[in-house]
Amino acid sequence: PAAPPQAPDTSEETFRKGYVNKYTIGSMLDELKWVVPNRVMQDMPSIIETDPGRFIDLAAHNILAGFDRESVISRRILVHDIMRNFYQSDVIVITLGLAEGWRDRVSGISVIDAPISLKGCDPDRFELEVASHQDVIDGLENIAALLNQYGRSSWRMIITVSPVPFLASFTGDDVVVANSYSKAVLRSAAEEFVRRHDRVDYFPSYEMAMYSNTEAVWKSDRRHIRRDFVAAIIDHFCRSYIAS
């Protein structure tokens, strides 16, 4: 989709890179529950007013567009339109990104941005959540249940784990320790979920990044993957799943 016209400062490239990204299992599940077929949205619980006339969307990256009510609602409608395609898809790819996230105590919504970036919000409104192995399994099972109820009867799923590490952790642990826990939980949950479901497969993009030559994989920040290595992963994915 194109960047919303209400956000002229949001480039197509930026919009495509991150506006609809979901990193935690809770944030994924929230979005998919909101867009089940035939559900009419009477309200938009993720949109809140932080200051008079200033609105944000707890379930989206607010840095990518303006804060007036019409703009925020327009972006939320656009995200809903994108997410509805989930239930019409034959193959769903889910990338597990983070085990650490935040939840809004008022609405129960999983928050995309850290509360410190949500200017105008009461910080006590939010609580840190660190998902366990079982939390991730339960979330994946709930997603599978939604697909069984509303998706195509022939749906298939591919699970991956993002190799991109934390920039910072809110647990108080060293960021390397927190990241190690996060990736271990996500990877082990993915493995168990795949073993439970014949129609689910695991694609090892995480292992490809973590166990290849570091100079070939990582950019200079040692957090993001080089474009040529991303291309190699995608090439391997296509050769594995798409008939030539």
Side-chain angles (χ1 to χ4, degrees):
Q6 293 83 358
D9 294 334
T10 303
S11 69
E12 289 286 338
E13 182 180 13
T14 300
F15 180 75
R16 291 179 182 277
K17 277 184 176 179
Y19 187 72
V20 296
N21 282 2
K22 307 296 169 187
Y23 305 107
T24 65
I25 194 68
S27 62
M28 297 175 194
L29 192 55
D30 282 346
E31 290 283 357
L32 298 178
K33 287 180 177 178
W34 292 333
V35 297
V36 295
N38 302 319
R39 177 179 179 180
V40 178
M41 291 293 291
Q42 300 296 336
D43 57 8
M44 296 184 178
S46 67
I47 296 177
I48 64 172
E49 187 173 19
T50 60
D51 290 303
R54 185 182 189 275
F55 293 80
I56 62 170
D57 187 342
L58 296 176
H61 292 295
N62 291 282
I63 195 173
L64 297 181
F67 296 100
D68 61 284
R69 185 174 185 274
E70 291 72 21
S71 175
V72 174
I73 289 176
S74 175
R75 289 181 291 130
R76 172 47 47 192
I77 291 172
L78 180 57
V79 172
H80 282 175
D81 289 342
I82 295 169
M83 292 299 176
R84 285 190 182 96
N85 292 315
F86 178 84
Y87 294 105
Q88 299 300 317
S89 301
D90 294 306
V91 179
I92 296 97
V93 179
I94 292 180
T95 298
L96 302 173
L98 302 174
E100 182 178 318
W102 293 86
R103 186 172 295 276
D104 175 24
R105 299 177 191 271
V106 176
S107 65
I109 290 171
S110 293
V111 183
I112 296 297
D113 292 325
I116 58 173
S117 68
L118 303 179
K119 297 179 180 178
C121 283
D122 176 7
D124 292 333
R125 175 174 177 152
F126 306 100
E127 60 182 343
L128 178 67
E129 287 191 327
V130 181
S132 68
H133 171 92
Q134 191 60 51
D135 291 332
V136 181
I137 286 290
D138 290 345
L140 289 170
E141 290 291 356
N142 285 331
I143 290 174
L146 288 172
L147 279 169
N148 286 332
Q149 184 172 0
Y150 300 105
R152 292 181 179 271
S153 59
S154 59
W155 68 267
R156 296 289 186 271
M157 186 185 296
I158 300 171
I159 299 287
T160 69
V161 173
S162 169
V164 178
F166 282 156
L167 179 61
S169 171
F170 292 91
T171 61
D173 292 334
D174 182 273
V175 68
V176 175
V177 174
N179 182 71
S180 180
Y181 168 83
S182 179
K183 300 305 182 185
V185 164
L186 299 177
R187 180 62 186 91
S188 63
E191 186 70 21
E192 180 173 337
F193 184 66
V194 168
R195 293 185 181 188
R196 290 183 182 184
H197 297 273
D198 291 339
R199 58 173 63 193
V200 181
D201 195 17
Y202 176 76
F203 179 73
S205 54
Y206 174 77
E207 286 80 2
M208 292 174 69
M210 297 305 296
Y211 297 105
S212 295
N213 183 288
T214 56
E215 297 302 320
V217 175
W218 303 98
K219 293 183 178 180
S220 58
D221 63 3
R222 299 305 290 265
R223 289 191 65 239
H224 294 93
I225 308 297
R226 291 166 51 98
R227 280 183 173 272
D228 52 351
F229 196 81
V230 171
I233 292 174
I234 296 301
D235 178 66
H236 185 63
F237 180 93
C238 292
R239 287 188 286 108
S240 299
Y241 293 106
I242 301 174
S244 57

